[in-house]
Amino acid sequence: MAKITKELLLEKGIPKHSKLEQIKKINLSKLHLKTSDLDPKLFSQLRKLEELDLSGNLLTEIPDNLGLVNLKLLNCADNDMDQITSLNQFKNLEDLICEDNIYLTICDIHKIIYLLPNLRTLNGKDVTSRANHLRFVNSQKLMSLVTDFWEKRFKAQLTETPTAAEIKAVAKYFVKSAIAEIKYGPNSLSEYTKWRVEAIATEFVTSLLQQENQVSSESEGGEDEDEGEAHHTYVLTSSDRRNMLNSQSSSAKSSTRKTSLHAAQNTTKSGKQVTSGSGEVSQNDTEDISRRSMRIQRGKGSQTAPMAKHPKKDNNVAAKKESRTSKRDCSTPTAGSIPRKKSKYKKSLVLEPLHFLQCHSRDNDPEDLSTQLWACAFEPEIKNSLIPDGGLQSSPIVATCGGDSVCFIDCETGMVRHKYKSVGEEFFSLAWTTLTVIVKDQKRKINVLATGGQMGVVKLIHVKVNYCYGKIKAHKRSISTLCFCPNRETFLFTGSYDKTIVLWDIGVPDCDYNFRATQLLVLKVCSTPLKMCPVPPCFDQYLVAACERGCFAWDISLTKYESKRNIKMEFLFPISNKKDSKSDCSIVDSLTFCNDDLVASKTSMQGSIYLWSWSQTLKRWNKRSTKVKAVILRQVEWSNTDEVYIALTACPAENYLVCGDEKGDVWMYELDEVANEETTSGKKTSPTQILKWPAIEAQGEIIEGTLINNVTTDPEFKYLVAVTDKNIIVIWKRT
């Protein structure tokens, strides 16, 4: 008689229910169960099961095809298991306990870490960094060894244009020889190495066969000519940003990032390891920040708001997934098909100025109106924490950076909650992520801010305690932009003036803030990257970036083993109509995804913003060329200015696009009516509304307007925050 019945599962299951489909947790520990007792037909009915305890039984393995697609925690400790690769079926598994199985070896553990793409903790310890190292760094090294082995020992056995039969004949001995002769890592992991070499060598042979089939198809069908790109006038190249900077005025009003890179020279190799802790100054809300009054000029009366201080930015910048068997749905929706929650606000946006702050002044100088502020972003929500973090679930905290400090501001009160300062630094960019850490054997989510700038070093700040727990020496030159991968919380892209983009796994800190950072990819860029976005919905497939010489995309799939990647696509846009412009207008200084398909990008001196379709552009791309014309759905009017490096941002929940300008105004675009058809008319659509700069009185003078370098909103568009080139932060509140 079977030991496991439907009645037993219902009895042991939580919550109590009459149907197996509703059970989320089951404890089947210490029932003397054998592998044959686990009936796939019965377990496949547990469609919502998230936690399963099989500890203290007599299992030798977990049967295939149990059908537990939502399983997140599995405890199979204290059994007689001798292999666990069958756990590969649980793609969503995050926590695994398999200790006290005396027949399991360290190689078995490495195999399962590699095979489970979402595994976070193993036997109560965080293995995120270890897993990413195995999947990416270790695999890249083994791929290099396999490729070299082929080149030296087997490639010469083939003709210049080998047939599939010839490749198969040689491949059989190639795979066997590679398994036997390729050595890497300690002897204790030799079994794991042989297992991975076999898989990689087999993949390598498969790729050779695919190349042969492709060549055969092309030779039979002939080559299709590229569509006539010469009939259209499109931007293909641009002059170096440095030349443009040298021709510009060095006044403090310039929006260009300017700082001496001599101070940013770093003798340590780019990509080398990190140090924990920090010697920089961290200031909290109890700090004695000198403040001054700023009054907003209104028709009747005035309203005061505090302004704190912060260092001024120098104005002379000379150089400003993986599981191989896993398949994800990467179908891209149309521009207008992204569902959004119903807004609790009315259609029209009414925003009132709430606070004006000056919290980045150098040396707390009340006269400082020249420190450039470059980036701002709201703290993300902490969702579904197993243990309450104690922080805000819908945070009004916005981080701003500029000069040598980063400030964390409460938008409702206007108070600077924390202030992090790094003497000698010039912060250019910041990015948020939410990490899952293990504290006393329990999971907890914490918000971490990454910030970087002139020194080429990424600082990692645990915001709740205002502690910089680590630094990553990411580049030898200044960091221009940062971006986390939305579906991989530890994956950080860093863009630099050294014309590279690097993908890092920053790891997860332990309770002592020890962590390990690993370089995963290096993307080669022809110019300085200014803004980056992983492409939704499959964020780990493509990265698109706005750069000084255009807009480009890279294949960032980590299922491929090349650690250095060249540009995959270059997006072409119509040339500006400004004939009197002497500067190259191909600088794409900002971009953002408005939803899973609609991209907004801004080209310098264009006087407009392009809204284009990623999916339609991707379909148009001929893979034999890197250049592809963007499928433009709409062109919206923007400021007719020569200023560059003014960033735009989107609020997908409210379907709005916002961008500042050189006068302190904020241009706002409602995107509900964007058609899904390409437009070639060049007609510009007017903005939904323009939020005018409120005149501010400071030091007895009226600040009529200022260049807005960056603007951001919280997810619900309750607050709008702008940072400027005059050390002023403006916070509007939606009414």
Side-chain angles (χ1 to χ4, degrees), residues 153-173:
R153 298 279 299 275
F154 288 88
K155 185 177 181 180
Q157 299 180 27
L158 298 178
T159 60
E160 291 185 5
T161 56
T163 64
E166 292 174 337
I167 294 175
K168 290 179 180 179
V170 175
K172 180 178 179 181
Y173 300 102

Side-chain angles (χ1 to χ4, degrees), residues 158-450:
L158 298 178
T159 60
E160 291 185 5
T161 56
T163 64
E166 292 174 337
I167 294 175
K168 290 179 180 179
V170 175
K172 180 178 179 181
Y173 300 102
F174 162 66
V175 174
K176 288 184 177 180
S177 299
I179 295 171
E181 298 185 33
I182 292 178
K183 308 294 181 184
Y184 180 70
N187 290 332
S188 60
L189 293 178
S190 60
E191 181 189 343
Y192 170 79
T193 301
K194 291 178 183 293
W195 178 74
R196 287 294 296 127
V197 167
E198 180 180 9
I200 292 172
T202 303
E203 286 182 7
F204 183 82
V205 171
T206 301
S207 68
L208 292 178
L209 291 172
Q210 290 174 345
Q211 291 174 13
E212 192 278 334
N213 291 335
Q214 183 178 359
V215 171
S216 299
S217 300
E218 290 179 355
S219 62
E220 292 175 5
E223 295 185 0
D224 296 330
E225 294 184 1
D226 291 343
E227 294 183 6
E229 294 180 3
H231 298 296
H232 305 273
T233 307
Y234 280 83
V235 177
L236 300 181
T237 60
S238 69
S239 62
D240 195 305
R241 176 184 183 184
R242 191 173 304 169
N243 296 331
M244 183 181 68
L245 291 179
N246 292 335
S247 66
Q248 289 182 341
S249 169
S250 61
S251 70
K253 293 183 180 180
S254 171
S255 67
T256 308
R257 299 178 181 176
K258 302 176 180 179
T259 182
S260 173
L261 287 182
H262 297 294
Q265 289 178 352
N266 188 342
T267 57
T268 305
K269 272 192 175 183
S270 174
K272 293 301 180 184
Q273 215 45 287
V274 298
T275 58
S276 295
S278 172
E280 281 78 6
V281 179
S282 292
Q283 300 169 323
N284 57 25
D285 52 332
T286 62
E287 175 196 17
D288 182 17
I289 303 178
S290 63
R291 298 176 176 270
R292 73 184 192 186
S293 173
M294 278 199 161
R295 294 196 297 274
I296 174 172
Q297 303 302 306
R298 299 180 183 244
K300 294 182 180 180
S302 62
Q303 182 177 354
T304 61
M307 292 190 68
K309 319 162 52 163
H310 178 196
K312 151 185 171 183
K313 180 172 189 178
D314 185 6
N315 286 327
N316 278 326
V317 174
K320 281 203 146 187
K321 157 169 167 175
E322 197 277 317
S323 170
R324 293 180 295 110
T325 59
S326 170
K327 294 183 179 179
R328 302 176 55 199
D329 181 12
C330 295
S331 59
T332 308
T334 59
S337 66
I338 309 304
R340 1 180 233 119
K341 64 180 182 180
K342 186 176 180 180
S343 173
K344 63 182 179 182
Y345 298 103
K346 296 180 180 180
K347 269 293 182 184
S348 59
L349 295 181
V350 180
L351 294 152
E352 293 291 335
L354 185 63
H355 301 291
F356 301 87
L357 296 95
Q358 182 193 1
C359 50
H360 288 263
S361 302
R362 289 195 183 277
D363 304 320
N364 280 344
D365 179 9
E367 306 294 329
D368 181 6
L369 287 174
S370 58
T371 292
Q372 296 237 24
L373 311 183
W374 290 107
C376 53
F378 274 87
E379 181 180 22
E381 296 181 11
I382 294 182
K383 300 178 180 178
N384 300 323
S385 300
L386 295 183
I387 300 177
D389 189 79
L392 294 168
Q393 293 299 302
S394 182
S395 178
I397 303 299
V398 65
T400 60
C401 74
D404 62 2
S405 62
V406 179
C407 292
F408 303 93
I409 303 166
D410 187 324
C411 289
E412 186 61 35
T413 64
M415 297 296 295
V416 179
R417 290 285 189 89
H418 304 292
K419 185 175 181 179
Y420 171 77
K421 195 171 184 178
S422 180
V423 178
E425 179 63 281
E426 298 282 343
F427 288 112
F428 292 157
S429 186
L430 51 78
W432 288 94
T433 189
T434 302
L435 300 180
T436 304
V437 300
I438 307 299
V439 180
K440 296 181 180 180
D441 297 329
Q442 292 182 312
K443 291 194 300 184
R444 180 178 179 181
K445 293 184 180 292
I446 64 171
N447 282 332
V448 170
L449 185 82

